[in-house]
């Protein structure tokens, strides 16, 4: 190998019942690449909807904030899903594009593959198999949440290294995530903090992060400025507790954006902890350019909150909604996330919770529950599904197995009807 390694970064296709580009970006992989000193990088992103492949396919057009559907094909269902009344699909660029890329480029020394959901491993396997066939000497590195949550399963997928293993790569550099590998990126992700002060029983964040830290202010600004210099229009924050310690972390950043009159739209797909949104923070968020507000709520039932981590109670939620609306946030830009299909549904009072959110004049987005190994709630799910098979963590599957398709569809219909009544929708 030359002293300067060549590295191919890959964002794999998704195998699932449903997938949508909700600002889905391979931040972890590009951030890791920024730490690798002196390498030649190439990128193959199966999920890049700016690829010319989409140019003659208007049905995949983005919405105002660059969200949209991925190209997909119906594929045979794995046997474990044969009772699930949904089509199973492969989302992303067709595989022949990737095979052609491998055949027409010199093999890289290393291939780094981003993983996300545990139950998307069929996509990771497709990529590993193609690389091994076409570039047999390349060393494959698998990184991301799947490898942390299911390391034993990931070890058997065919990669040479899992992220965290000792690797023959120097990671002493300190560059921002390598968004410049995309041509004219319109949307990117940022993460300025690590960890969360809460311990919700359905969440992996408290398990894989001991404590809460943030990047130094200067590093946050350096990363942000480098993103803005690329002409980016939308930034999605991937933080788990973006608003915690707001006086020290997010407020100085928001003031920097406002004072420098930087025009960019911010989004919060990972859920904001609404209890931290006081009137000053609400005004700063709106003035700095936050265009969508996804607030973690889950239930208005105190007992459900107490048993699952007490991250927010209904009066705190109502107060934060009021602060956002008083700060001139659009009502239809504010959504409450609510888990659907949680194993403690009987104390969640989901229908009452849906009506409560609607009474505040904002929307609900139902988030199908995914049982995650190592979490307390994942443990509760062992009596329903085989948790050692990552496909069974699928968020479409678990609620249907436990509650039945009719019940799940009834709640989704109710949510849809209530959301239609929200002003501006
Ligand atoms: S507040 Fe959010 S990130 Fe923190 S533990 Fe709860 S669900 Fe996870």
């Amino acid at each position: 190998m030359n002293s300067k390694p060549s590295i191919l970064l890959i964002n794999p296709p998704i195998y699932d019942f449903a997938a949508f580009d909700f600002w889905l970006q391979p931040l972890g992989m590009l951030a890791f690449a920024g730490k690798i000193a002196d390498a030649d990088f190439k990128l193959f992103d199966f999920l890049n909807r700016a690829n010319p492949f989409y140019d003659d396919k208007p049905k995949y057009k983005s919405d105002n904030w660059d969200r949209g559907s991925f190209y997909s094909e119906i594929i045979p269902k794995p046997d474990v899903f044969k009772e699930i009344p949904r089509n199973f699909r492969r989302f992303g660029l067709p595989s022949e594009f990737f095979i052609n890329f491998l055949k027409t480029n010199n093999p890289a020394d290393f291939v780094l593959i981003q993983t996300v959901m545990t139950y998307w491993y069929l996509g990771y396997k497709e990529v590993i198999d193609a690389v091994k066939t076409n570039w047999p000497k390349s060393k494959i590195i698998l990184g991301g949440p799947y490898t942390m949550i299911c390391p034993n399963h990931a070890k058997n997928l065919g990669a040479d290294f899992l992220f965290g293993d000792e690797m023959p790569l120097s990671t002493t550099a300190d560059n921002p995530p390598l968004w410049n590998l995309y041509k004219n990126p319109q949307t990117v992700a940022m993460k300025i903090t690590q960890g969360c002060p809460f311990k919700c029983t359905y969440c992996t964040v408290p398990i894989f992060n001991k404590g809460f830290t943030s990047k130094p202010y200067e590093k946050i600004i350096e990363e942000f400025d480098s993103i803005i210099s690329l002409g980016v229009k939308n930034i999605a924050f991937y933080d788990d507790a973006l608003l915690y310690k707001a006086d020290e972390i997010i407020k100085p950043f928001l003031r920097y954006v406002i004072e420098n009159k930087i025009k960019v739209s911010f989004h919060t797909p990972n859920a904001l902890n609404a209890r931290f949104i006081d009137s000053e923070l609400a005004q700063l968020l709106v003035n700095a350019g936050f265009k969508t507000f996804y607030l973690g709520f889950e239930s208005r039932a105190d007992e459900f909150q107490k048993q699952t981590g007490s991250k927010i109670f209904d009066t705190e939620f109502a107060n934060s909604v009021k602060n956002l609306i008083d700060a001139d946030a659009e009502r239809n830009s504010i959504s409450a996330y609510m888990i659907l299909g949680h194993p403690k549904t009987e104390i969640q009072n989901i229908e009452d919770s849906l009506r409560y959110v609607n009474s505040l004049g904002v929307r609900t987005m139902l988030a199908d529950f995914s049982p995650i190994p190592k979490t307390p709630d994942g443990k509760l799910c062992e009596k329903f599904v085989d948790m050692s098979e990552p496909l069974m963590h699928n968020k479409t599957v678990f609620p249907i197995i436990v509650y039945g398709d009719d019940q799940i569809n009834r709640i989704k219909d109710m949510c849809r009807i209530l959301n239609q009544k929200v002003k501006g929708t």
Side-chain angles (χ1 to χ4, degrees):
M1 189 194 308
N2 295 330
S3 57
K4 195 171 176 178
S6 56
I7 303 177
L8 173 63
L9 308 172
I10 304 177
N11 196 23
I14 295 172
Y15 285 57
D16 203 337
F17 294 94
F20 185 76
D21 186 4
F22 199 67
W23 305 294
L24 205 52
Q25 301 289 332
L27 171 62
M29 177 172 71
L30 297 176
F32 178 67
K35 306 265 173 287
I36 298 173
D38 211 16
D40 284 327
F41 290 102
K42 280 202 168 88
L43 172 70
F44 192 96
D45 186 347
F46 282 89
L47 303 180
N48 179 13
R49 291 184 310 103
N51 188 293
F53 169 76
Y54 284 92
D55 286 353
D56 60 352
K57 298 176 181 61
K59 71 185 257 202
Y60 301 102
K61 199 167 167 286
S62 297
D63 69 7
N64 288 346
W65 309 127
D66 204 22
R67 294 169 294 195
S69 302
F70 295 114
Y71 171 79
S72 70
E73 292 158 10
I74 295 176
I75 55 171
K77 265 186 247 182
D79 280 352
V80 290
F81 293 154
K82 62 179 184 299
E83 304 297 334
I84 303 299
R86 300 273 192 283
N87 286 326
F88 195 62
R89 292 174 177 272
R90 178 192 176 284
F91 295 86
L93 293 178
S95 54
E96 54 267 28
F97 279 59
F98 184 51
I99 303 296
N100 186 48
F101 175 92
L102 294 173
K103 287 187 187 305
T104 54
N105 283 273
N106 288 330
D109 298 317
F110 295 94
V111 172
L112 182 52
I113 302 172
Q114 167 85 59
T115 75
V116 187
M117 299 299 180
T118 57
Y119 50 87
W120 288 351
Y121 74 80
L122 296 173
Y124 318 145
K125 182 153 173 39
E126 175 194 312
V127 171
I128 291 171
D129 290 348
V131 171
K132 287 186 127 175
T133 302
N134 292 280
W135 290 2
K137 293 193 176 149
S138 300
K139 294 290 177 205
I140 301 174
I141 303 167
L142 206 54
Y146 160 66
T147 65
M148 292 165 70
I149 298 169
C150 299
N152 293 332
H153 193 275
K155 272 180 201 144
N156 292 318
L157 219 57
D160 297 288
F161 301 98
L162 298 191
F163 184 73
D165 292 346
E166 200 168 315
M167 281 183 270
L169 278 173
S170 166
T171 52
T172 52
D174 192 20
N175 299 313
L178 302 186
W179 298 109
N180 55 351
L181 293 174
Y182 289 93
K183 193 176 162 200
N184 302 325
Q186 294 297 292
T187 296
V188 308
M190 276 184 85
K191 189 170 186 186
I192 64 175
T193 62
Q194 192 69 34
C196 175
F198 296 94
K199 290 189 169 43
C200 300
T201 53
Y202 39 81
C203 179
T204 54
V205 172
I207 292 165
F208 292 112
N209 298 276
K210 300 298 170 214
F212 174 85
T213 55
S214 72
K215 291 180 181 170
Y217 176 77
E218 296 72 29
K219 296 303 289 182
I220 295 171
I221 298 302
E222 182 192 331
E223 182 173 334
F224 176 66
D225 285 346
S226 78
I227 286 170
I228 294 302
S229 73
L230 298 172
V232 164
K233 302 277 188 302
N234 294 283
I235 296 177
F237 278 102
Y238 279 10
D239 297 71
D240 299 304
L242 181 67
L243 306 185
Y244 185 52
K245 297 193 174 176
D247 288 341
E248 297 162 40
I249 305 166
I250 190 76
K251 285 183 184 174
F253 169 74
L254 297 173
R255 290 192 187 102
Y256 174 85
V257 177
I258 294 165
E259 282 160 17
N260 288 283
K261 300 185 171 51
I262 298 170
K263 296 286 170 231
V264 66
S265 299
F266 295 105
H267 308 282
T268 59
N270 252 15
L272 295 172
N273 194 307
R275 71 158 66 184
F276 298 124
I277 304 179
D278 57 26
S279 54
E280 182 193 37
L281 181 54
Q283 197 64 64
L284 285 169
L285 290 166
V286 171
N287 290 356
F290 277 65
K291 294 296 194 301
T292 56
F293 301 88
Y294 291 92
L295 311 178
F297 184 46
E298 321 311 346
S299 169
R300 78 165 303 194
D302 283 3
E303 191 53 32
F304 181 85
Q305 294 293 355
K306 283 181 193 153
Q307 288 194 26
T308 58
S310 300
K311 73 177 178 187
I312 192 157
F313 291 92
D314 57 0
T315 48
E316 295 169 317
F317 182 80
N319 198 37
S320 71
V321 167
K322 179 180 181 309
N323 287 336
L324 285 170
I325 290 170
D326 287 350
D328 271 346
E330 302 277 344
R331 281 181 184 275
N332 66 358
S333 72
I334 304 171
S335 302
Y337 277 140
M338 209 177 291
I339 293 183
L340 177 63
H342 186 275
K344 289 186 177 168
T345 293
E346 72 283 357
I347 58 166
Q348 189 187 8
N349 294 353
I350 193 159
E351 293 172 44
D352 184 38
S353 302
L354 284 169
R355 283 188 213 100
Y356 178 72
V357 172
N358 183 257
S359 76
L360 301 175
V362 297
R363 301 165 56 86
T364 299
M365 180 178 266
L366 292 168
D368 294 311
F369 174 76
S370 165
I372 308 175
K374 299 188 167 83
T375 62
D377 290 352
K379 192 94 191 130
L380 288 181
C381 297
E382 286 170 358
K383 63 176 185 257
F384 298 109
V385 294
D386 174 8
M387 291 292 289
S388 67
E389 169 49 68
L391 290 175
M392 298 313 291
H393 312 159
N394 188 294
K395 67 181 174 46
T396 299
V397 171
F398 185 80
I400 291 178
I401 286 181
V402 177
Y403 298 101
D405 204 24
D406 290 348
Q407 168 79 341
I408 295 298
N409 285 338
R410 193 178 61 73
I411 303 283
K412 287 188 174 176
D413 285 345
M414 178 180 171
C415 179
R416 204 172 300 124
I417 290 165
L418 288 172
N419 281 346
Q420 282 165 359
K421 295 179 183 162
V422 173
K423 204 172 146 202
T425 301

